[in-house]
Amino acid sequence: MVHVKVYGNRRVWGQRRAEVSDALHAAMVGAWQIPEEKRFHRFLLLEDGDLVAPRSDDYLMIEIVAFAGRTREAKRELIRRVYDDVAPALGVAADDVELVVIESPAESWGIRGRSGDELSLNYKVDV
């Protein structure tokens, strides 16, 4: 399971949510083999002054919350894709994109009435 949270300025990214979502999802499908239909993205877009960071107005903060189990190489591949593919596709400088992968054990998730470690997924987490 993977959930994505995207923080940014509403004025800059409000009309570009689909573009950002598509680019991020393509990176996750490529790096982590997430099924195309498994897209859980939340946009937490902020008004001017509500996002304080020493970056430009284009700044994006991406949090990926996922089941634990992906290899170091898989996480590095996702990071590479975000900077090599996503940032250029969106026309944003690498300095204006930050990404954090937050992992938690499957048993710490509740999904469809059961704990995550009881689910039968149609994709691998240990990539």
Side-chain angles (χ1 to χ4, degrees), residues 1-3 37-38 40 67 109-123:
M1 183 57 74
V2 177
H3 281 242
E37 71 277 5
K38 297 291 185 184
F40 297 92
F67 280 2
W109 292 62
I111 303 167
R112 296 188 300 271
R114 58 180 55 125
S115 68
D117 61 332
E118 297 174 314
L119 292 176
S120 177
L121 300 175
N122 64 345
Y123 59 94

Side-chain angles (χ1 to χ4, degrees), residues 18-122:
E19 182 183 359
V20 173
S21 179
D22 288 347
L24 286 171
H25 195 60
M28 289 190 301
V29 168
W32 287 4
Q33 301 156 20
I34 301 294
E36 186 62 41
E37 71 277 5
K38 297 291 185 184
R39 187 185 303 214
F40 297 92
H41 296 182
R42 288 175 279 175
F43 285 82
L44 300 118
L45 300 178
L46 304 166
E47 301 302 327
D48 287 345
D50 289 341
L51 180 59
V52 179
R55 302 288 186 264
S56 82
D57 288 345
D58 292 344
Y59 177 70
L60 281 175
M61 175 60 201
I62 303 159
E63 288 182 10
I64 298 176
V65 183
F67 280 2
R70 288 172 180 87
T71 64
R72 177 181 294 206
E73 293 76 19
K75 288 180 259 186
R76 286 184 174 165
E77 177 63 14
L78 177 61
I79 291 167
R80 184 198 65 74
R81 286 175 186 252
V82 166
Y83 287 100
D84 291 353
D85 301 337
V86 176
L90 298 175
V92 63
D95 285 351
D96 281 329
V97 177
E98 292 188 16
L99 167 70
V100 62
V101 174
I102 302 168
E103 295 180 297
S104 63
E107 66 266 15
S108 295
W109 292 62
I111 303 167
R112 296 188 300 271
R114 58 180 55 125
S115 68
D117 61 332
E118 297 174 314
L119 292 176
S120 177
L121 300 175
N122 64 345

